[in-house]
Amino acid sequence: MNVLNLPVVWTLVFASLFCLMECQLGGNTYVDKQLLCALDKGPCDRLGRQVKDSLPEIIGNQCQNCTPQQLANARRIAAYVQSKYPYVWNELVDKYGRKQR
């Protein structure tokens, strides 16, 4: 993925996830599907692939290249996943977090 396009992708991913949280939380099936995709435990749709591609920067690099708005959105989404899916959050951190050397 071209590094110059990453801010655009992150903006789209964050906007999609924000809408996902706000618009579709009545049925968590879609959220579950995206999380399973990110963990390589289920099929991925377009959003799932974008999320999966962004997680190394978001989690592993602590969103250092994010804009302030993207960082705020990432924190909000992370807080949601941590509170609703703590076991999944731990798996995401293990998978996409920086490895200790």
Side-chain angles (χ1 to χ4, degrees):
M1 179 180 295
N2 185 337
V3 175
L4 297 176
N5 291 332
L6 284 177
V8 173
V9 170
W10 293 334
T11 300
L12 293 173
V13 168
F14 291 134
S16 298
L17 287 175
F18 182 74
C19 180
L20 174 68
M21 287 171 35
E22 298 295 322
C23 303
Q24 298 183 3
L25 291 183
N28 287 337
T29 304
Y30 193 71
V31 174
D32 294 343
K33 180 180 175 183
Q34 302 310 317
L35 293 173
L36 289 172
C37 164
L39 292 171
D40 296 322
K41 294 182 178 182
C44 295
D45 61 11
R46 186 175 186 178
L47 174 61
R49 285 188 298 276
Q50 289 175 336
V51 169
K52 191 173 170 178
D53 290 344
S54 299
L55 286 174
E57 171 61 28
I58 296 166
I59 294 175
N61 203 24
Q62 299 174 352
C63 221
Q64 290 181 2
N65 296 313
C66 298
T67 67
Q69 184 63 48
Q70 290 169 333
L71 181 58
N73 289 339
R75 286 180 176 160
R76 183 170 183 200
I77 293 165
Y80 173 79
V81 175
Q82 288 171 349
S83 69
K84 302 291 184 184
Y85 302 90
Y87 55 94
V88 173
W89 177 255
N90 291 335
E91 288 185 57
L92 290 171
V93 170
D94 287 345
K95 183 173 180 64
Y96 295 102
R98 286 190 179 178
K99 303 295 182 204
Q100 297 296 325
R101 293 181 190 195

